Amino acid sequence: MKLLVLLAAIALLLWLLRGGRNRVGRDVAPPPAAPRIAAPEPMVACDWCGLHLPQTDALPAPDGRHFCCTDHRQRAIRG
């Protein structure tokens, strides 16, 4: 009987040292951070073909018009 109580006490001690019931909560990883979405950019239309593109990607002309490529800008300037 003494041996059974001693084994139960050792098992309980090992269970408590390993974390017991709180072990389940510690293994949970934190949720991933939400991805950041870039701010919307102003859109402009190519004056030659009408293609809409972000203003930062457009090629400006001296008179304030915007173009999608150098070929369209040159065609518009030449007439």
Side-chain angles (χ1 to χ4, degrees):
M1 184 72 172
K2 287 182 184 180
L3 184 60
L4 186 59
V5 172
L6 181 62
L7 288 175
I10 291 173
L12 178 65
L13 181 64
L14 288 174
W15 184 72
L16 288 173
L17 288 174
R18 293 191 68 185
R21 294 183 191 190
N22 293 334
R23 185 173 189 173
V24 174
R26 282 187 276 164
D27 292 342
V28 176
R36 294 188 178 212
I37 299 173
E41 294 184 41
M43 302 290 282
V44 294
C46 176
D47 197 53
W48 185 261
C49 68
L51 175 76
H52 285 84
L53 66 158
Q55 188 173 6
T56 56
D57 294 342
L59 300 172
D63 57 1
R65 297 184 292 171
H66 294 89
F67 299 96
C68 63
C69 62
T70 55
D71 184 45
H72 288 181
R73 184 170 58 179
Q74 289 174 354
R75 287 182 184 188
I77 291 173
R78 278 188 271 160

XYZ file of all heavy atoms in Angstrom:
601
model
N 0.819 -1.191 0.000
C 0.000 0.000 0.000
C 0.872 1.267 0.000
O 0.532 2.242 -0.671
C -0.925 -0.058 1.212
C -1.893 1.064 1.289
S -3.133 0.855 0.022
C -4.239 2.095 0.461
N 1.974 1.229 0.783
C 2.873 2.373 0.840
C 3.479 2.634 -0.544
O 3.641 3.782 -0.950
C 4.003 2.122 1.840
C 3.601 2.183 3.270
C 4.828 1.974 4.135
C 4.459 1.921 5.595
N 5.634 1.712 6.428
N 3.791 1.595 -1.264
C 4.374 1.722 -2.591
C 3.384 2.367 -3.559
O 3.761 3.216 -4.367
C 4.811 0.350 -3.103
C 5.532 0.332 -4.448
C 6.806 1.154 -4.384
C 5.839 -1.087 -4.858
N 2.107 2.015 -3.485
C 1.072 2.590 -4.349
C 0.892 4.079 -4.076
O 0.790 4.885 -5.008
C -0.248 1.836 -4.140
C -1.392 2.212 -5.051
C -1.018 1.989 -6.510
C -2.633 1.435 -4.704
N 0.878 4.480 -2.816
C 0.748 5.895 -2.461
C 1.989 6.657 -2.921
O 1.888 7.778 -3.432
C 0.523 6.049 -0.935
C 0.588 7.520 -0.522
C -0.791 5.432 -0.520
N 3.158 6.053 -2.764
C 4.394 6.702 -3.198
C 4.412 6.892 -4.713
O 4.775 7.960 -5.212
C 5.606 5.873 -2.743
C 6.979 6.434 -3.090
C 7.189 7.780 -2.415
C 8.063 5.456 -2.724
N 4.004 5.910 -5.476
C 3.936 6.027 -6.931
C 2.915 7.080 -7.370
O 3.152 7.846 -8.299
C 3.616 4.674 -7.565
C 4.736 3.640 -7.540
C 4.245 2.319 -8.093
C 5.929 4.145 -8.315
N 1.768 7.139 -6.690
C 0.751 8.147 -7.006
C 1.277 9.544 -6.709
O 1.048 10.498 -7.469
C -0.528 7.868 -6.222
N 2.005 9.696 -5.621
C 2.564 11.006 -5.267
C 3.622 11.427 -6.279
O 3.681 12.595 -6.689
C 3.150 10.955 -3.857
N 4.452 10.493 -6.722
C 5.477 10.806 -7.725
C 4.820 11.176 -9.051
O 5.220 12.146 -9.717
C 6.453 9.620 -7.878
C 7.302 9.483 -6.615
C 7.351 9.814 -9.097
C 8.182 8.243 -6.595
N 3.782 10.437 -9.439
C 3.079 10.743 -10.688
C 2.425 12.118 -10.622
O 2.472 12.898 -11.586
C 2.040 9.665 -10.976
N 1.821 12.451 -9.485
C 1.192 13.764 -9.315
C 2.241 14.866 -9.356
O 2.033 15.916 -9.984
C 0.414 13.813 -7.995
C -0.253 15.144 -7.657
C -1.338 15.459 -8.683
C -0.821 15.127 -6.261
N 3.375 14.636 -8.740
C 4.446 15.629 -8.738
C 4.977 15.855 -10.152
O 5.176 17.004 -10.574
C 5.574 15.177 -7.807
C 6.762 16.117 -7.673
C 6.315 17.433 -7.050
C 7.855 15.470 -6.860
N 5.185 14.789 -10.902
C 5.644 14.928 -12.290
C 4.610 15.650 -13.146
O 4.951 16.478 -13.993
C 5.963 13.549 -12.883
C 7.220 12.871 -12.348
C 7.333 11.466 -12.917
C 8.446 13.675 -12.691
N 3.342 15.340 -12.941
C 2.269 15.992 -13.711
C 2.243 17.491 -13.424
O 2.102 18.308 -14.333
C 0.936 15.336 -13.357
C -0.224 15.858 -14.147
C -0.499 15.637 -15.447
C -1.266 16.704 -13.659
N -1.650 16.280 -15.814
C -2.145 16.949 -14.726
C -1.549 17.272 -12.413
C -3.276 17.733 -14.589
C -2.694 18.044 -12.295
C -3.525 18.267 -13.378
N 2.411 17.851 -12.160
C 2.412 19.276 -11.802
C 3.654 19.987 -12.342
O 3.584 21.145 -12.761
C 2.338 19.437 -10.280
C 0.989 19.090 -9.648
C 1.101 19.127 -8.121
C -0.093 20.025 -10.129
N 4.794 19.309 -12.326
C 6.011 19.924 -12.831
C 5.960 20.134 -14.345
O 6.554 21.078 -14.877
C 7.240 19.076 -12.479
C 7.641 19.093 -11.006
C 8.781 18.108 -10.767
C 8.047 20.487 -10.582
N 5.279 19.291 -15.069
C 5.185 19.412 -16.519
C 4.130 20.423 -16.946
O 4.010 20.733 -18.126
C 4.879 18.060 -17.137
C 6.053 17.114 -16.958
C 5.898 15.905 -17.744
N 6.001 16.261 -19.145
C 5.819 15.430 -20.141
N 5.510 14.193 -19.902
N 5.929 15.815 -21.380
N 3.353 20.950 -16.056
C 2.405 21.996 -16.420
C 0.963 21.653 -16.139
O 0.120 22.528 -16.072
N 0.632 20.412 -16.034
C -0.729 20.020 -15.696
C -1.751 20.532 -16.693
O -1.592 20.425 -17.892
N -2.795 21.109 -16.193
C -3.902 21.586 -17.033
C -3.547 22.841 -17.824
O -4.098 23.090 -18.881
C -5.121 21.886 -16.173
C -5.703 20.672 -15.547
C -6.929 21.035 -14.777
N -7.342 19.895 -13.965
C -8.473 19.845 -13.328
N -9.311 20.856 -13.383
N -8.783 18.797 -12.623
N -2.661 23.674 -17.331
C -2.332 24.933 -18.001
C -1.512 24.720 -19.266
O -1.272 25.659 -20.010
C -1.558 25.850 -17.053
C -2.420 26.301 -15.900
O -3.631 26.355 -16.021
N -1.789 26.609 -14.781
N -1.075 23.532 -19.512
C -0.231 23.263 -20.664
C -0.936 23.527 -21.983
O -0.337 23.998 -22.942
C 0.243 21.824 -20.618
C 1.209 21.501 -21.685
C 1.771 20.139 -21.509
N 2.845 19.987 -22.459
C 3.630 18.985 -22.505
N 3.481 18.017 -21.644
N 4.572 18.919 -23.397
N -2.215 23.282 -22.064
C -2.967 23.462 -23.307
C -2.970 24.929 -23.720
O -2.759 25.263 -24.873
C -4.417 22.946 -23.139
C -5.234 23.272 -24.364
C -4.409 21.464 -22.851
N -3.147 25.861 -22.805
C -3.210 27.280 -23.116
C -1.882 27.865 -23.561
O -1.834 28.842 -24.289
N -0.770 27.275 -23.137
C 0.537 27.821 -23.477
C 0.979 27.474 -24.890
O 1.805 28.145 -25.459
C 1.579 27.320 -22.493
C 1.523 28.051 -21.176
C 2.674 27.649 -20.321
N 2.267 26.411 -19.646
C 3.084 25.579 -19.045
N 4.361 25.825 -19.042
N 2.651 24.506 -18.454
N 0.454 26.402 -25.461
C 0.879 25.962 -26.777
C 0.203 26.726 -27.914
O 0.562 26.545 -29.065
C 0.607 24.465 -26.955
C 1.496 23.627 -26.039
O 2.504 24.172 -25.561
O 1.171 22.456 -25.819
N -0.737 27.574 -27.614
C -1.471 28.306 -28.651
C -0.621 29.477 -29.134
O -0.148 30.291 -28.344
C -2.824 28.824 -28.107
C -3.537 29.658 -29.141
C -3.674 27.656 -27.660
N -0.412 29.552 -30.442
C 0.367 30.643 -31.029
C -0.493 31.901 -31.141
O -1.706 31.808 -31.324
C 0.863 30.238 -32.412
N 0.095 33.068 -31.038
C -0.680 34.299 -31.195
C -1.187 34.413 -32.637
O -0.553 33.919 -33.570
C 0.314 35.417 -30.872
C 1.652 34.804 -31.081
C 1.511 33.337 -30.788
N -2.325 35.064 -32.832
C -2.860 35.199 -34.198
C -1.934 36.052 -35.062
O -1.271 36.973 -34.562
C -4.206 35.894 -33.999
C -4.102 36.558 -32.666
C -3.162 35.717 -31.845
N -1.847 35.758 -36.353
C -0.974 36.549 -37.223
C -1.495 37.979 -37.376
O -2.697 38.232 -37.282
C -1.029 35.807 -38.559
C -2.313 35.064 -38.517
C -2.552 34.723 -37.067
N -0.577 38.889 -37.601
C -0.951 40.293 -37.774
C -1.694 40.469 -39.095
O -1.414 39.789 -40.080
C 0.299 41.170 -37.756
N -2.643 41.376 -39.112
C -3.410 41.638 -40.329
C -2.506 42.299 -41.371
O -1.690 43.162 -41.036
C -4.593 42.554 -40.016
N -2.622 41.896 -42.632
C -1.781 42.520 -43.661
C -2.166 43.980 -43.867
O -3.327 44.347 -43.799
C -2.080 41.699 -44.912
C -3.407 41.092 -44.670
C -3.515 40.904 -43.182
N -1.158 44.785 -44.106
C -1.421 46.209 -44.329
C -1.781 46.441 -45.791
O -1.130 45.917 -46.690
C -0.200 47.033 -43.972
C 0.085 46.960 -42.498
C 1.167 47.913 -42.124
N 1.368 47.846 -40.685
C 1.735 48.863 -39.962
N 1.963 50.016 -40.531
N 1.882 48.728 -38.682
N -2.796 47.219 -45.997
C -3.259 47.534 -47.348
C -2.754 48.923 -47.713
O -2.873 49.865 -46.931
C -4.794 47.469 -47.420
C -5.257 46.054 -47.067
C -5.282 47.870 -48.786
C -6.742 45.915 -46.954
N -2.182 49.026 -48.886
C -1.648 50.313 -49.333
C -2.784 51.306 -49.563
O -3.900 50.934 -49.925
C -0.858 50.127 -50.620
N -2.483 52.564 -49.358
C -3.471 53.616 -49.579
C -3.771 53.720 -51.080
O -2.887 53.525 -51.909
C -2.942 54.949 -49.068
N -5.007 54.007 -51.433
C -5.331 54.118 -52.857
C -4.622 55.310 -53.499
O -4.421 56.346 -52.873
C -6.841 54.321 -52.870
C -7.209 54.724 -51.497
C -6.160 54.204 -50.577
N -4.228 55.130 -54.741
C -3.546 56.189 -55.487
C -4.534 56.845 -56.449
O -5.448 56.188 -56.945
C -2.398 55.610 -56.306
C -1.277 55.033 -55.492
C -0.130 54.577 -56.376
O 0.198 55.288 -57.345
O 0.420 53.519 -56.099
N -4.331 58.131 -56.754
C -5.181 58.772 -57.753
C -4.925 58.150 -59.132
O -3.789 57.848 -59.489
C -4.781 60.235 -57.713
C -3.552 60.322 -56.893
C -3.395 59.053 -56.142
N -5.989 57.949 -59.878
C -5.893 57.359 -61.209
C -6.060 58.451 -62.268
O -6.784 59.416 -62.070
C -6.978 56.296 -61.395
C -6.934 55.182 -60.376
S -5.533 54.111 -60.575
C -6.053 53.126 -61.946
N -5.360 58.280 -63.385
C -5.478 59.193 -64.521
C -5.668 58.348 -65.776
O -5.342 57.166 -65.803
C -4.233 60.101 -64.668
C -4.105 61.052 -63.493
C -2.979 59.282 -64.825
N -6.204 58.963 -66.808
C -6.403 58.277 -68.083
C -5.374 58.764 -69.088
O -5.051 59.950 -69.137
C -7.809 58.544 -68.609
N -4.868 57.840 -69.891
C -3.949 58.203 -70.965
C -4.715 59.083 -71.953
O -5.827 58.756 -72.365
C -3.434 56.945 -71.655
S -2.380 57.275 -73.077
N -4.126 60.198 -72.318
C -4.798 61.139 -73.228
C -4.881 60.583 -74.653
O -5.698 61.048 -75.447
C -4.056 62.478 -73.209
C -4.886 63.600 -73.786
O -6.029 63.772 -73.322
O -4.390 64.280 -74.708
N -4.071 59.594 -74.985
C -4.082 59.031 -76.333
C -5.043 57.847 -76.466
O -5.873 57.813 -77.363
C -2.670 58.604 -76.711
C -2.553 58.124 -78.113
C -2.535 56.835 -78.530
C -2.469 58.925 -79.287
N -2.430 56.774 -79.881
C -2.384 58.055 -80.380
C -2.442 60.291 -79.515
C -2.275 58.497 -81.682
C -2.322 60.730 -80.812
C -2.249 59.846 -81.892
N -4.945 56.852 -75.541
C -5.746 55.629 -75.688
C -6.837 55.483 -74.641
O -7.707 54.622 -74.766
C -4.842 54.398 -75.663
S -4.050 54.082 -74.065
N -6.800 56.280 -73.581
C -7.836 56.224 -72.561
C -7.589 55.205 -71.457
O -8.444 55.008 -70.595
N -6.453 54.529 -71.460
C -6.125 53.553 -70.429
C -6.007 54.249 -69.081
O -5.352 55.279 -68.962
C -4.802 52.861 -70.770
C -4.282 51.894 -69.719
C -5.089 50.597 -69.774
C -2.815 51.621 -69.939
N -6.663 53.682 -68.037
C -6.557 54.231 -66.689
C -5.389 53.569 -65.968
O -5.254 52.344 -66.002
C -7.848 53.995 -65.908
C -8.948 54.898 -66.332
N -9.755 54.630 -67.402
C -9.355 56.087 -65.834
C -10.627 55.604 -67.552
N -10.403 56.507 -66.614
N -4.544 54.379 -65.335
C -3.387 53.884 -64.601
C -3.108 54.811 -63.433
O -3.567 55.954 -63.414
C -2.173 53.770 -65.521
C -1.561 55.027 -66.115
C -0.131 54.733 -66.504
C -2.308 55.476 -67.346
N -2.369 54.316 -62.419
C -2.034 55.189 -61.284
C -1.209 56.392 -61.744
O -0.388 56.288 -62.649
C -1.196 54.280 -60.373
C -1.527 52.893 -60.781
C -1.881 52.953 -62.224
N -1.442 57.509 -61.106
C -0.771 58.747 -61.496
C 0.743 58.623 -61.357
O 1.490 59.211 -62.134
C -1.287 59.911 -60.656
C -0.781 61.254 -61.112
C -1.435 62.395 -60.364
O -2.196 62.183 -59.420
N -1.152 63.606 -60.774
N 1.214 57.824 -60.395
C 2.662 57.667 -60.216
C 3.296 56.890 -61.368
O 4.489 57.024 -61.616
C 2.974 56.953 -58.894
O 2.284 55.707 -58.863
C 2.557 57.803 -57.703
N 2.525 56.075 -62.094
C 3.047 55.310 -63.228
C 2.889 56.051 -64.556
O 3.490 55.661 -65.555
C 2.332 53.962 -63.338
C 2.637 53.048 -62.159
O 3.631 53.300 -61.463
O 1.878 52.087 -61.954
N 2.089 57.084 -64.586
C 1.822 57.807 -65.832
C 2.990 58.725 -66.192
O 3.727 59.194 -65.329
C 0.547 58.637 -65.688
N 3.134 58.970 -67.502
C 4.152 59.891 -67.994
C 3.491 61.239 -68.266
O 2.631 61.351 -69.132
C 4.767 59.345 -69.284
C 5.442 57.980 -69.168
C 5.837 57.479 -70.546
C 6.633 58.064 -68.262
N 3.869 62.269 -67.518
C 3.230 63.572 -67.712
C 3.815 64.311 -68.906
O 4.973 64.154 -69.266
C 3.526 64.314 -66.410
C 4.794 63.699 -65.922
C 4.782 62.269 -66.368
N 2.988 65.127 -69.518
C 3.424 66.020 -70.595
C 3.521 67.433 -70.017
O 2.914 67.726 -68.987
C 2.425 65.978 -71.749
N 4.255 68.322 -70.657
C 4.394 69.692 -70.139
C 3.055 70.430 -70.019
O 2.921 71.314 -69.171
C 5.296 70.383 -71.155
C 6.024 69.295 -71.849
C 5.117 68.110 -71.826
N 2.084 70.072 -70.834
C 0.798 70.789 -70.780
C -0.177 70.178 -69.762
O -1.335 70.570 -69.705
C 0.158 70.817 -72.170
C -0.042 69.436 -72.756
O 0.298 68.436 -72.096
O -0.543 69.362 -73.896
N 0.271 69.214 -68.945
C -0.577 68.664 -67.892
C -1.289 67.368 -68.251
O -1.940 66.780 -67.394
N -1.186 66.917 -69.477
C -1.812 65.653 -69.867
C -0.957 64.488 -69.373
O 0.215 64.650 -69.068
C -1.969 65.579 -71.383
C -2.900 66.657 -71.930
C -3.113 66.518 -73.415
N -1.847 66.829 -74.117
C -1.654 66.641 -75.409
N -2.606 66.140 -76.160
N -0.500 66.952 -75.968
N -1.580 63.297 -69.320
C -0.883 62.096 -68.859
C -0.959 61.028 -69.940
O -1.962 60.910 -70.647
C -1.510 61.560 -67.567
C -1.349 62.488 -66.420
N -2.258 63.475 -66.130
C -0.377 62.604 -65.489
C -1.865 64.141 -65.075
N -0.717 63.628 -64.662
N 0.116 60.212 -70.022
C 0.180 59.157 -71.022
C 0.670 57.874 -70.376
O 1.401 57.895 -69.381
C 1.108 59.570 -72.171
C 0.636 60.801 -72.880
C 1.144 62.042 -72.550
C -0.338 60.718 -73.861
C 0.695 63.184 -73.176
C -0.792 61.858 -74.505
C -0.285 63.093 -74.164
N 0.301 56.736 -71.000
C 0.678 55.438 -70.440
C 2.061 54.989 -70.901
O 2.675 54.142 -70.256
C -0.374 54.387 -70.792
S -0.554 54.076 -72.557
N 2.574 55.518 -72.003
C 3.896 55.124 -72.499
C 4.495 56.274 -73.308
O 3.813 57.228 -73.680
C 3.806 53.851 -73.350
S 2.808 54.014 -74.825
N 5.775 56.161 -73.583
C 6.463 57.223 -74.319
C 5.970 57.320 -75.762
O 5.926 58.415 -76.326
C 7.982 56.990 -74.312
O 8.260 55.692 -74.821
C 8.544 57.112 -72.913
N 5.584 56.190 -76.352
C 5.074 56.207 -77.728
C 3.806 57.060 -77.827
O 3.682 57.889 -78.738
C 4.796 54.782 -78.202
C 4.358 54.736 -79.645
O 4.985 55.423 -80.476
O 3.379 54.017 -79.944
N 2.885 56.904 -76.905
C 1.656 57.692 -76.934
C 1.937 59.166 -76.670
O 1.307 60.042 -77.258
C 0.648 57.140 -75.929
C 0.054 55.833 -76.347
N -0.893 55.182 -75.589
C 0.264 55.058 -77.443
C -1.237 54.060 -76.202
N -0.531 53.959 -77.326
N 2.879 59.438 -75.780
C 3.226 60.836 -75.507
C 3.839 61.494 -76.757
O 3.489 62.615 -77.106
C 4.188 60.929 -74.326
C 4.513 62.361 -73.946
C 5.257 62.496 -72.656
N 6.506 61.749 -72.673
C 7.369 61.711 -71.667
N 7.103 62.364 -70.568
N 8.474 61.003 -71.755
N 4.726 60.775 -77.432
C 5.344 61.331 -78.641
C 4.319 61.515 -79.749
O 4.362 62.521 -80.490
C 6.478 60.409 -79.105
C 7.692 60.452 -78.201
C 8.731 59.423 -78.589
O 8.504 58.601 -79.461
N 9.868 59.477 -77.906
N 3.399 60.591 -79.921
C 2.362 60.736 -80.947
C 1.471 61.940 -80.687
O 1.104 62.650 -81.617
C 1.504 59.480 -81.009
C 2.169 58.301 -81.627
C 1.215 57.135 -81.683
N 1.865 55.936 -82.191
C 1.232 54.828 -82.481
N -0.077 54.734 -82.287
N 1.886 53.791 -82.946
N 1.130 62.164 -79.410
C 0.262 63.293 -79.082
C 1.002 64.617 -79.289
O 0.379 65.618 -79.729
C -0.225 63.190 -77.652
N 2.269 64.667 -78.985
C 3.039 65.910 -79.132
C 3.245 66.222 -80.626
O 3.152 67.372 -81.043
C 4.381 65.808 -78.380
C 4.117 65.784 -76.878
C 5.296 66.959 -78.734
C 5.337 65.520 -76.024
N 3.496 65.178 -81.442
C 3.706 65.379 -82.864
C 2.409 65.780 -83.583
O 2.447 66.428 -84.616
C 4.254 64.111 -83.524
C 5.758 63.991 -83.345
C 6.290 62.851 -84.153
N 6.224 61.659 -83.301
C 6.245 60.419 -83.740
N 6.295 60.190 -85.032
N 6.189 59.412 -82.918
N 1.305 65.359 -83.040
C 0.046 65.757 -83.645
C -0.615 64.658 -84.294
O -1.183 64.131 -84.982
